[in-house]
C-alpha cells in the first residue's frame, strides 16, 4: 500500500511513518500543504492521510484541488473541537476522518476499508462525446487520434471533463487548475483555454469546448 501522509506535527508524522512502514506500507511524508499538494497530484497513492491544519496550504484547499482531478481516497485528521471542519472536509470529498488524538490501530483499520473501497470505485476513463481521457495513462484521444497535451493542459481538460455540462467560471478554473498561491489572472485561463481548444476541438471540427459569454466555459458535446 502506497500512502502519503501530510502532517506538519513532526511527532505525529514520525509516529505514522514508523507505524505504517512497519506494516509494510510505502510512505511518503509532506510537512506542509504545498509539498503535500505537489506529491498528491504527481504520484498515484492508494490513500492519503491529510491533516486539516497545515502551513502553506490548508488541508481543505489541498483536498479541493486534488478532487478536481483525482479520486485518491483521503482520510482527514481533525481537531476534536472543529466539527464544522469535519463537515466541510466531507463535503469537499474526504472519504473519512479521524479525530486527534487517535489510535494507530484505528487509523490502520480505516485505511484498509478505504483502499478496498477506492479500488472498487476507481474511474479510469472519462468520455465527452468522441473525446476519451485516460486518467491512468494520462492521455487524451479524439476520434481515435492521440492528442498531445502539456501537463497543465491535461489537468485543465480533466477538470472540465469532470464537470462536463457545467459552466465553470475563470475563477473556478484558476482555483482548480493552478496553484492557489500563484496569482492567476483571468487572462492566463483564457490563453490556456484557447490553446486547449486548438488541440482538442479545432482539428476535429469543434463541438466540445464552448465559451459562455460573461460566465465561463463548458465542455459538452453539442452539434457543430
Ligand atoms: Ca496540523
Amino acid at each position: 500500500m502506497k500512502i502519503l501522509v501530510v502532517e506538519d506535527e513532526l511527532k505525529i508524522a514520525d509516529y505514522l511513518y514508523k507505524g505504517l512502514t512497519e506494516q509494510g506500507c510505502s510512505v511518503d511524508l509532506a510537512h506542509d500543504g504545498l509539498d503535500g499538494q505537489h506529491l498528491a497530484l504527481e504520484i498515484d497513492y492508494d490513500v492519503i492521510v491529510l491533516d486539516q491544519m497545515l502551513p502553506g496550504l490548508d488541508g481543505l484547499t489541498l483536498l479541493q484541488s486534488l478532487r478536481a482531478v483525482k479520486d485518491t481516497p483521503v482520510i482527514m485528521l481533525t481537531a476534536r473541537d472543529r466539527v464544522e471542519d469535519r463537515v466541510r472536509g466531507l463535503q469537499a470529498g474526504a472519504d473519512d476522518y479521524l479525530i486527534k488524538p487517535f489510535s494507530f490501530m484505528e487509523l490502520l483499520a480505516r485505511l484498509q476499508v478505504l483502499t478496498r473501497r477506492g479500488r472498487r470505485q476507481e474511474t479510469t476513463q472519462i468520455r465527452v462525446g468522441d473525446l476519451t481521457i485516460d486518467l491512468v495513462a494520462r492521455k487524451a484521444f479524439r476520434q481515435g487520434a492521440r492528442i498531445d497535451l502539456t501537463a497543465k493542459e491535461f489537468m485543465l481538460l480533466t477538470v472540465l471533463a469532470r464537470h462536463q455540462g457545467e459552466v465553470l467560471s475563470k475563477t473556478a478554473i484558476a482555483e482548480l487548475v493552478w496553484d492557489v498561491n500563484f496569482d492567476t489572472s483571468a487572462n492566463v485561463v483564457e490563453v490556456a483555454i484557447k490553446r486547449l481548444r486548438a488541440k482538442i476541438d479545432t482539428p476535429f471540427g469543434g463541438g466540445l469546448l464552448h465559451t459562455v459569454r460573461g460566465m465561463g466555459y463548458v465542455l459538452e458535446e453539442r452539434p457543430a
Side-chain angles (χ1 to χ4, degrees), residues 145-187:
R146 163 96 189 266
I147 303 169
D148 193 24
L149 299 172
T150 64
K152 261 307 184 241
E153 286 164 353
F154 185 82
M155 203 162 157
L156 175 60
L157 178 62
T158 308
V159 163
L160 288 163
R162 282 190 191 274
H163 294 270
Q164 60 181 287
E166 260 176 67
V167 179
L168 291 181
S169 68
K170 285 175 196 169
T171 313
I173 293 171
E175 279 173 13
L176 292 167
V177 177
W178 279 267
D179 193 298
V180 289
N181 287 5
F182 170 68
D183 181 25
T184 312
S185 66
N187 187 44

Side-chain angles (χ1 to χ4, degrees), residues 26-87:
S26 144
V27 184
D28 284 345
L29 279 183
H31 296 303
D32 68 65
L34 289 172
D35 268 359
Q37 183 187 43
H38 177 74
L39 286 168
L41 292 175
E42 287 299 310
I43 298 171
D44 290 322
Y45 293 98
D46 295 305
V47 64
I48 297 172
V49 179
L50 179 61
D51 186 31
Q52 194 139 18
M53 309 270 276
L54 290 166
L57 181 71
D58 68 281
L60 207 63
T61 309
L62 194 165
L63 177 63
Q64 282 164 342
S65 67
L66 178 72
R67 279 293 170 264
V69 286
K70 277 188 182 183
D71 289 326
T72 316
V74 169
I75 183 160
M76 292 208 85
L77 305 179
T78 71
R80 184 169 299 282
D81 55 348
R82 310 267 301 184
V83 181
E84 71 284 3
D85 280 355
R86 293 199 282 282
V87 173

Side-chain angles (χ1 to χ4, degrees), residues 208-224:
L208 288 184
L209 182 49
H210 311 278
T211 303
V212 183
R213 204 164 288 281
M215 289 179 70
Y217 303 96
V218 59
L219 188 72
E220 69 181 347
E221 191 181 19
R222 285 186 198 164

Side-chain angles (χ1 to χ4, degrees), residues 7-9 51 53-54 100:
E7 169 60 83
D8 58 312
E9 282 166 72
D51 186 31
M53 309 270 276
L54 290 166
K100 289 178 169 178

